[in-house]
Amino acid sequence: MFKKVREFYLLFNKVNFNSKITLMWLILFPLLMAILYNMKFLSEKPSESVFLMYFGGYIALIIILTAFNVCTNIIQMREQGFLKRFFFITGSKLPIIIGLFLSFFTIAILSVSTFTIFSSILFLGSTHLTLKFWLLGVVLLLVSFIPITFLCLFLLILPIKQESLITFANIIMFLLFMTSFNNSLSIDVPAYISLINPVNVVLNLENYLMSVLFQNDFNYINMYFTILLLGVYLTIGVYSYKSFKITAINSRS
């Protein structure tokens, strides 16, 4: 089992690290977007709390984007027939999924590290705060990446034609981010939908971690509820893993 996981991990690493678009999208895009939208802080350094308020959300963006990419890659492999071939080689979906997950987790670590280190050095100029911001990103990634990835597996069992599934997944991701910023965009979103939005769950967890690490008062919802939601995400993921098929079903209705 371990040998198979290792082989798939190395295979997917080779594919992902040879894909310039994947690396730019997951590693460079969040950093460049943060710099472009916060150029004002280059001339006037922000305070610690202001920096966290403006830049903390980008870590959640990295986690959500990378988790969605795990799912969309499984969809592409299934559509192209590779998932079925790999399954016949291994006799199980598990080493394939774990290998792919670990490959994207590696990219997520690189992306979070790149973003937290470069943004904090550029805008704060403090080694101590850089280390704490990096620690915040890594801890948030370790806690939330598995549940969010598991939740994304639900897309694999939806009764949607294969060729439309990736487009649908991207629409879902866009809507999740739109509704998570409903206050600034004046979008009327019911409170219960906002609470279960995985983007808001990650942001809420991040606010809690920022309050602990930086000893500032950031608003966050009861952590027991957040932990419960993460458990629900894991349960959905386990069910989805057991239920999704290894072959593309183009006749889904």
Side-chain angles (χ1 to χ4, degrees), residues 21-85:
I21 294 178
T22 299
L23 295 179
M24 288 182 63
W25 176 245
L26 296 178
I27 297 179
L28 293 181
F29 171 71
L31 179 61
L32 292 176
M33 189 168 68
I35 293 174
L36 290 175
Y37 277 91
N38 297 281
M39 293 289 288
K40 60 183 179 181
F41 292 130
L42 289 175
S43 56
E44 184 178 348
K45 299 295 183 183
S47 65
E48 179 183 302
S49 59
V50 170
F51 175 81
L52 292 173
M53 182 175 65
Y54 277 86
F55 289 85
Y58 288 98
I59 301 176
L61 171 67
I62 292 169
I63 293 171
I64 300 292
L65 284 178
T66 311
F68 261 81
N69 267 266
V70 176
C71 180
T72 55
N73 269 260
I74 297 173
I75 294 172
Q76 289 175 335
M77 283 196 298
R78 184 169 67 177
E79 183 179 5
Q80 296 166 356
F82 288 113
L83 187 60
K84 183 178 180 180
R85 296 176 194 174

Side-chain angles (χ1 to χ4, degrees), residues 102-130:
L102 291 176
S103 177
F104 275 100
F105 184 77
T106 301
I107 293 177
I109 287 285
L110 290 174
S111 182
V112 167
S113 298
T114 300
F115 176 80
T116 53
I117 292 173
F118 277 90
S119 63
S120 54
I121 289 176
L122 184 63
F123 292 100
L124 288 177
S126 168
T127 304
H128 175 66
L129 292 178
T130 296

Side-chain angles (χ1 to χ4, degrees), residues 171-236:
I171 292 173
I172 290 294
M173 183 176 66
F174 175 75
L175 291 176
L176 290 176
F177 277 103
M178 286 288 289
T179 55
S180 70
F181 297 108
N182 61 83
N183 291 331
S184 59
L185 298 176
S186 300
I187 301 174
D188 187 18
V189 181
Y192 65 91
I193 292 180
S194 181
L195 285 174
I196 64 175
N197 184 340
V199 177
N200 286 339
V201 171
V202 177
L203 289 172
N204 185 59
L205 182 59
E206 182 177 34
N207 285 343
Y208 171 76
L209 292 173
M210 286 193 297
S211 298
V212 173
L213 290 174
F214 292 89
Q215 297 179 344
N216 287 323
D217 292 327
F218 291 94
N219 294 326
Y220 58 89
I221 303 169
N222 189 295
M223 286 308 299
Y224 291 111
F225 181 74
T226 300
I227 294 172
L228 176 62
L229 281 176
L230 294 178
V232 171
Y233 294 167
L234 289 172
T235 303
I236 292 173

